[in-house]
């Protein structure tokens, strides 16, 4: 049985030494380094094979740290921090000048959030108490572009000895990455959908943020370019096995021997032999919670293709649809070395 206090003490020492630690959050497992240590942050990029201009999210222990990392903080950000943190919401704000370029990808903005996981919050507080920054930069703990980890074992499988320690906090409660909300420009914009939706945000700040697929707000947020953020590339969250999104009414006819199907209904009559059919939850929250674990299992199964029933075009399914769309684009690519 693990001694959690000893595990935390070791993790604090590793972070202070510039090493990498796998951490649990409510969304996915992260690969953490001291966010004030540029050399340590560089190790994240090397371990993941991540492009150097792709910014990271800084995880804080307390909203009181906001002003140390961001400037010109709008009232909407403070209200959202009070209402949604700890929780799966990342705020993009103007950075303080001393925030390392390694964290921001050289941009004038920084992504900040407080994770809702007691083990990682304890780590961040202990790190601060020991004289550290009390903040970690932490993208998902997987090889760049691949499926995010939602249990500690996934981190070991992905990164092996590239990570010095993995804190095991059990399965992630949400299972999909945080909502990313840009508050660095005149109009709030959702740059990555997640568990906290546009309506949730509107209830807090009195203004519904713009998001892809909607008519532009006024002024048009496209007038000034959006900051680069985590998980926004066209190819991401992807299995090595080719993945295709298929309309529900065409799944049965398209599935061939050797394929695996992920659908929101039971296996139908008339299905071709040697087709693996997995019934996923019909509820968007439960579906998202299980999605990455199911994709990992299918990717490891040896199937020829993964056919996924296209998700509904509904706000509740926005995060799932976003991840599956990017997974389809990035799937089938060979492993980077």
């Amino acid at each position: 049985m693990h001694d959690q206090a000893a595990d935390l003490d070791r993790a604090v020492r590793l972070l202070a030494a510039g090493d990498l630690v796998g951490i649990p959050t409510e969304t996915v497992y992260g690969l953490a380094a001291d966010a004030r240590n540029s050399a340590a942050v560089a190790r994240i990029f090397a371990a993941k094979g991540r492009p150097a201009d792709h910014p990271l999210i800084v995880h804080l222990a307390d909203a009181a740290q906001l002003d140390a990392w961001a400037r010109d903080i709008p009232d909407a950000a403070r209200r959202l921090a009070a209402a949604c943190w700890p929780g799966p919401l990342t705020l993009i704000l103007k950075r303080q000048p001393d925030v390392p370029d390694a964290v921001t990808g050289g941009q004038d903005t920084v992504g900040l959030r407080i994770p809702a996981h007691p083990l990682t919050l304890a780590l961040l507080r202990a790190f601060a108490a020991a004289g550290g920054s009390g903040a970690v930069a932490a993208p998902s703990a997987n090889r760049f572009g691949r499926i995010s980890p939602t249990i500690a074992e996934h981190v070991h499988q992905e990164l092996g000895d590239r990570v010095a320690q993995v804190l095991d906090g059990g399965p992630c409660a949400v299972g999909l990455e945080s909502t990313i909300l840009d508050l660095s420009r005149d109009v709030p914009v959702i740059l990555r959908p997640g568990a906290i939706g546009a309506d949730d945000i509107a209830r807090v700040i009195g203004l519904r943020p713009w998001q892809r697929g909607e008519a532009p707000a006024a002024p048009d947020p496209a007038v000034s370019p959006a900051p680069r953020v985590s998980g926004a590339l066209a190819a991401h969250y992807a299995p090595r096995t080719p993945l295709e999104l298929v309309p529900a009414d065409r799944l049965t006819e398209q599935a061939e021997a050797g394929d695996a199907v992920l659908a929101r209904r039971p296996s139908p009559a008339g299905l071709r032999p040697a087709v693996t059919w997995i019934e996923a939850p019909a509820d968007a929250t439960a579906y998202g919670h299980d999605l990455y674990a199911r994709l990992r299992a299918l990717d490891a199964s040896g199937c020829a293709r993964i056919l996924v029933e296209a998700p509904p075009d509904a706000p509740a399914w926005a995060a799932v649809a976003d991840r599956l769309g990017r997974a389809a684009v990035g799937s089938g690519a060979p492993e980077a070395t």
Side-chain angles (χ1 to χ4, degrees):
M1 188 160 183
H2 285 290
D3 181 337
Q4 190 173 97
D7 287 346
L8 283 173
D9 181 64
R10 179 175 178 237
V12 167
R13 287 186 280 108
L14 288 169
L15 289 174
D19 289 317
L20 305 183
V21 176
I23 59 169
T25 78
E26 80 282 22
T27 57
V28 300
Y29 272 73
L31 181 62
D34 179 356
R36 291 288 185 187
N37 184 335
S38 294
V41 172
R43 291 184 179 180
I44 294 176
F45 289 87
K48 284 177 63 72
R50 183 183 180 98
D53 66 347
H54 207 52
L56 306 176
I57 293 170
V58 176
H59 293 66
L60 309 174
D62 193 282
Q65 295 170 278
L66 258 178
D67 293 276
W69 291 88
R71 59 182 171 82
D72 303 330
I73 301 171
D75 180 63
R78 298 193 189 277
R79 288 158 66 186
L80 285 165
C84 302
W85 285 356
L89 176 66
T90 294
L91 301 179
I92 303 296
L93 301 166
K94 293 291 187 182
R95 61 181 271 189
Q96 287 286 10
D98 61 350
V99 175
D101 284 343
V103 170
T104 67
Q107 300 180 109
D108 191 37
T109 54
V110 63
L112 303 168
R113 89 175 185 100
I114 298 178
H117 196 291
L119 187 55
T120 289
L121 287 173
L123 171 66
L124 291 166
R125 290 166 185 151
F127 186 35
S133 68
V136 296
S140 56
N142 54 280
R143 296 289 287 162
F144 182 70
R146 296 301 183 189
I147 303 167
S148 300
T150 52
I151 60 173
E153 181 56 31
H154 293 163
V155 183
H156 292 295
Q157 292 169 359
E158 283 277 331
L159 298 174
D161 59 8
R162 299 179 192 196
V163 56
Q165 180 189 10
V166 180
L167 291 174
D168 190 344
C172 297
V174 175
L176 294 176
E177 296 81 2
S178 61
T179 303
I180 297 181
L181 178 68
D182 178 23
L183 292 175
S184 70
R185 297 177 290 167
D186 292 337
V187 177
V189 179
I190 292 177
L191 299 179
R192 180 177 71 185
I196 293 177
D199 291 338
D200 301 315
I201 293 165
R203 280 191 287 271
V204 176
I205 66 174
L207 176 65
R208 195 173 191 278
W210 182 82
Q211 55 187 344
R212 279 189 316 167
E214 293 184 343
D220 187 340
V223 170
S224 71
R228 297 187 306 278
V229 296
S230 296
L233 298 180
H236 222 77
Y237 318 111
R240 296 170 185 84
T241 307
L243 182 150
E244 299 176 22
L245 292 175
V246 180
D249 60 359
R250 298 182 61 192
L251 270 175
T252 304
E253 66 183 69
Q254 288 203 17
E256 299 176 353
D259 289 343
V261 175
L262 183 62
R264 301 187 310 280
R265 54 195 171 90
S267 174
L271 189 66
R272 290 186 177 92
V275 172
T276 301
W277 187 285
I278 294 178
E279 182 181 357
D283 170 76
T285 300
Y287 187 106
H289 178 271
D290 296 343
L291 177 59
Y292 289 150
R294 290 185 186 278
L295 289 182
R296 279 181 175 275
L298 290 172
D299 200 21
S301 71
C303 62
R305 295 183 302 169
I306 302 171
L307 304 183
V308 179
E309 180 181 349
D313 182 13
W317 288 87
V320 168
D322 175 81
R323 306 312 191 271
L324 284 175
R326 297 179 198 278
V329 172
S331 68
E335 175 65 84
T337 56

